[in-house]
Amino acid sequence: MKYLIDSMDLSVEEIDDLIDLAQDIIKDKSRYQDVCRHKILATLFFEPSTRTRLSFESAMLSLGGKVLGFSNANSSSATKGESVTDTIWTVSCYSDIIAMRHPKEGAPLVALKRSKVPLINAGDGGHNHPTQTLTDLLTIKREKGRLDNLTIGFCGDLKFGRTVHSLLKALSRYPHMKFIFISPRELRIPEYLKQDLLDAKNLDYREVEKVEDVIEELDIIYMTRVQKERFFNEQDYIRLKDTYILDKKKIEKSKKDLIILHPLPRVNEIATELDDDPRAKYFDQVQNGRYVRMALIMTMLGLENEVDRHED
Ligand code: NCD
């Protein structure tokens, strides 16, 4: 696997293999602690991040590898006008694998042309975020035991939220899925996803505006932050930012085994009174992100068979 730019770059089999490997890692982390010895991961973040960058670094360190990189475009030669392609070309001379985040949609795809090492998209604008998708899939698999036959409600900023776009694409390939999109009119799922994905594959979906109207049906509710940085107009952001605040009352009628997911950071979308509720799984997602990135780094470096996974 030489790159991961879009969640659709992974076949269903590859996703299943990564999830299996992550689950083996969870069972016995110590067996994996030297797999990436002498390997270097570069994390190039042209856009802010807490979880994604640190979980990549934590994953590589947990595999015995080393990390380098920058967490702010201002401290890189991007400020001197260097192209993203030249930056990646350069960094691929210093590292064995690169994870990059960029505010522009498509930047990782452009950079890929000159990367001499495997390249991972850690989020590009409002487009895609495949490693968050792997995190979400691992969490769903661990909580529900399956990735098919589920009703999932995506709630919040479905227009700009790249984690939604990415996860939706991945889940669209599993059978018997039902998607319910909960958003204000202005933040609906983009037309291209409706036409090219949902309608083209004849998937079961509908759009609503209120959580309370659909909560009883859901196996999963995937909350998202209104993506302030992608708005053209601050007034619109202020008007829309608190449209959804999930609290005990709003999920009163949910199934007992509903799970609440959120890629985080949360601003106001989930009241903290839910944090200790057994349905809240957003910090389990954080934990899973580390393990699935360990599985991904190993696989992209061709080291997925280094540990004999069936030995007792
Ligand atoms: C998300 C992102 O960066 O797209 N965060 C993450 O990577 N866990 C979601 C967000 O910023 O709202």
Side-chain angles (χ1 to χ4, degrees):
M1 206 188 289
K2 285 289 156 235
Y3 60 88
L4 177 56
I5 305 292
D6 188 299
S7 52
M8 294 302 251
D9 292 337
L10 295 168
S11 66
V12 169
E13 292 71 34
E14 284 171 325
I15 290 177
D16 292 345
D17 286 348
L18 286 167
I19 289 178
D20 280 353
L21 178 54
Q23 286 185 305
D24 281 352
I25 292 171
I26 293 167
K27 275 188 227 138
D28 191 351
K29 297 165 203 79
S30 63
R31 283 171 102 173
Y32 296 82
Q33 65 195 6
D34 290 321
V35 177
C36 288
R37 236 171 122 198
H38 308 305
K39 298 287 184 195
I40 298 174
L41 164 79
T43 55
L44 308 187
F45 278 65
F46 296 88
E47 206 189 40
S49 167
T50 301
R51 269 152 296 271
T52 306
R53 184 174 62 81
L54 293 179
S55 72
F56 263 113
E57 298 193 357
S58 166
M60 190 51 154
L61 294 170
S62 307
L63 293 166
K66 297 192 168 63
V67 297
L68 53 81
F70 54 80
S71 55
N72 183 338
N74 294 334
S75 64
S76 78
S77 285
T79 52
K80 298 181 186 169
E82 184 172 53
S83 70
V84 69
T85 319
D86 282 1
T87 305
I88 297 294
W89 196 348
T90 303
V91 175
S92 69
C93 301
Y94 305 147
S95 58
D96 300 294
I97 183 165
I98 299 175
M100 72 170 280
R101 167 172 287 191
H102 202 281
K104 286 214 177 85
E105 286 84 1
L109 190 61
V110 173
L112 183 63
K113 273 200 294 220
R114 290 297 186 187
S115 181
K116 304 201 285 184
V117 300
L119 181 71
I120 303 169
N121 175 10
D124 62 326
H127 183 227
N128 231 285
H129 193 348
T131 64
Q132 181 64 43
T133 296
L134 289 171
T135 301
D136 302 336
L137 294 174
L138 174 60
T139 309
I140 296 171
K141 185 71 193 271
R142 293 187 74 191
E143 297 299 330
K144 295 283 176 197
R146 64 183 193 279
L147 292 173
D148 53 15
N149 245 301
L150 292 163
T151 300
I152 175 164
F154 287 103
C155 179
D157 186 348
L158 311 185
K159 179 178 181 187
F160 296 115
R162 58 190 171 200
T163 63
V164 170
H165 306 159
S166 230
L167 179 59
L168 176 63
K169 284 187 189 173
L171 285 176
S172 73
R173 295 180 298 176
Y174 290 86
H176 310 300
M177 294 296 296
K178 188 167 166 186
F179 304 107
I180 302 182
F181 301 110
I182 311 157
S183 74
R185 204 163 267 283
E186 296 89 332
L187 298 178
R188 282 185 178 173
I189 196 94
E191 216 37 55
Y192 82 91
L193 282 171
K194 275 195 233 166
Q195 282 177 14
D196 304 347
L197 186 78
L198 296 161
D199 294 337
K201 290 184 158 191
N202 210 2
L203 298 174
D204 187 346
Y205 78 94
R206 68 183 205 272
E207 295 180 279
V208 300
E209 287 189 27
K210 283 179 115 177
V211 174
E212 297 90 314
D213 291 347
V214 295
I215 192 72
E216 287 166 75
E217 285 177 61
L218 305 179
D219 298 305
I220 302 165
I221 184 160
Y222 191 96
M223 298 300 295
T224 60
R225 169 181 73 90
V226 176
Q227 306 280 296
K228 182 180 184 188
E229 64 276 36
R230 315 219 191 279
F231 273 76
F232 295 112
N233 175 333
E234 202 183 343
Q235 236 48 48
D236 286 343
Y237 169 71
I238 292 169
R239 182 167 54 81
L240 293 167
K241 72 181 171 61
D242 290 331
T243 314
Y244 300 106
I245 302 175
L246 205 66
D247 56 18
K248 282 199 172 139
K249 181 131 198 4
K250 285 211 178 91
I251 59 167
E252 221 168 29
K253 297 204 173 115
S254 85
K255 289 186 182 175
K256 244 184 119 189
D257 61 351
L258 169 81
I259 59 169
I260 307 167
L261 302 183
H262 191 312
L264 304 180
R266 118 177 97 179
V267 182
N268 247 340
E269 309 77 48
I270 304 178
T272 51
E273 68 175 19
L274 286 179
D275 290 356
D276 294 315
D277 188 292
R279 291 166 289 189
K281 299 292 174 191
Y282 27 96
F283 280 92
D284 299 79
Q285 269 170 290
V286 175
Q287 185 71 64
N288 287 330
R290 175 181 176 193
Y291 302 132
V292 89
R293 287 184 176 93
M294 288 172 75
L296 181 67
I297 292 169
M298 282 175 65
T299 304
M300 293 191 75
L301 289 173
L303 299 171
E304 70 274 29
N305 296 318
E306 284 294 288
V307 173
D308 183 358
R309 291 160 57 194
H310 302 293
E311 187 184 287
D312 284 320

